[in-house]
Structure formats: C-alpha cells, structure tokens
Amino acid sequence: MTSPKESGTPRTITVGYWLVLVGAALCVVAGVFQFAARQALVDAIKSRNTDPALTTEMIESSATVTLGAVMVVTAVVAALMVWFAGKVKAGTRKSRTGLMIAVLINLFFQMVGNGYALVPALIAMSGLVLFYFRQSSDFLTEREQLA
C-alpha cells in the first residue's frame, strides 16, 4: 500500500490544471460577451467619427470582422491552453513550455483585444505558475524518467 503522498498527481498539478481550464473557459466567455456587445463599440466609433468617407456600414462590418477575429483567436489559444495543460497533468514535462507560450500569447492578446478577459487570463497564468512549483517539477521529472 502506498502513502497518500506517493500516490497520484500532486495537488499543485491538479489545481494548476483546473485554474488553466477555468481561465481558458472564462476567456472564451468574455470573448462571446464582447462579440455580443459589439453594437456599443459601433456606437462609440460612430460618435467619434470625423471622416465623412467612413460610412456606417464600413464601421459595422469592420467591428464585426475585428471582434470575430478576436473571438476565433481566443478560442484557438484557449483550446491550446487546455490541451497543453492536459499534457502537463498527464506528466509530460515539455508541455509546460508550450503552455507557457500559449498563456503568454493569451495574456498579451487579451490586453490588446479584449479588456473583459484580463482577469481570466491572469487566472490561467496562476495555474501555469503552479506547474513550476517544486512539487510539480519533481513529479514531472519522475514521470519523465519512468518513460
């Protein structure tokens, strides 16, 4: 019989995994919310528009395309974050680097494209930080040596 300390995945890995999942899901929800509220963006641009060549249709289509692109990128990066987090939870040490890159891209992209998703991006970042704690690193090193 093994002791509870020896069996299974460390708590830092499990909590980090769930934090990354929650952060990614909330980023997608924030992207949907921002896309749904695109009329407010269109109205703000219309009120500040001083260029007579910029028509209402151009403003509306530009806002829709831009927010659609933000939504697609958010969904793709969130899917990558979830995939890499799952690989780390399974014991693949190299996936931490991929997850770190995806989380940093997500954080940068949310700072630029979607202010609603800054807190969820930081939640995912805190999950990533847990993957670098000593318990997590020891677990991943041990799993790597077993493979």
Side-chain angles (χ1 to χ4, degrees):
M1 182 163 203
T2 60
S3 71
K5 187 174 182 177
E6 293 176 18
S7 65
T9 308
R11 187 172 189 105
T12 55
I13 295 277
T14 304
V15 173
Y17 171 78
W18 285 107
L19 283 172
V20 170
L21 254 59
V22 167
L26 289 176
C27 282
V28 172
V29 169
V32 169
F33 179 75
Q34 183 184 30
F35 189 78
R38 72 182 175 276
Q39 190 59 44
L41 176 66
V42 169
D43 293 340
I45 294 171
K46 283 182 193 176
S47 69
R48 295 180 186 172
N49 183 21
T50 58
D51 186 6
L54 193 60
T55 65
T56 302
E57 294 80 25
M58 291 169 66
I59 293 171
E60 288 176 356
S61 66
S62 296
T64 302
V65 168
T66 301
L67 293 178
V70 167
M71 185 63 217
V72 167
V73 170
T74 298
V76 168
V77 172
L80 281 172
M81 287 168 38
V82 169
W83 185 65
F84 280 125
K87 301 273 281 176
V88 172
K89 187 178 179 190
T92 308
R93 185 177 184 171
K94 293 177 184 177
S95 295
R96 276 193 312 189
T97 305
L99 178 63
M100 181 176 59
I101 292 168
V103 167
L104 290 174
I105 288 171
N106 181 50
L107 180 64
F108 174 75
F109 190 73
Q110 299 309 335
M111 287 188 330
V112 171
N114 185 359
Y116 298 129
L118 280 178
V119 171
L122 292 174
I123 290 171
M125 179 71 74
S126 65
L128 172 68
V129 168
L130 288 176
F131 287 149
Y132 282 93
F133 279 11
R134 181 170 212 75
Q135 292 172 334
S136 301
S137 293
D138 291 345
F139 169 76
L140 294 171
T141 301
E142 177 184 309
R143 292 286 227 148
E144 189 175 78
Q145 290 172 354
L146 291 176

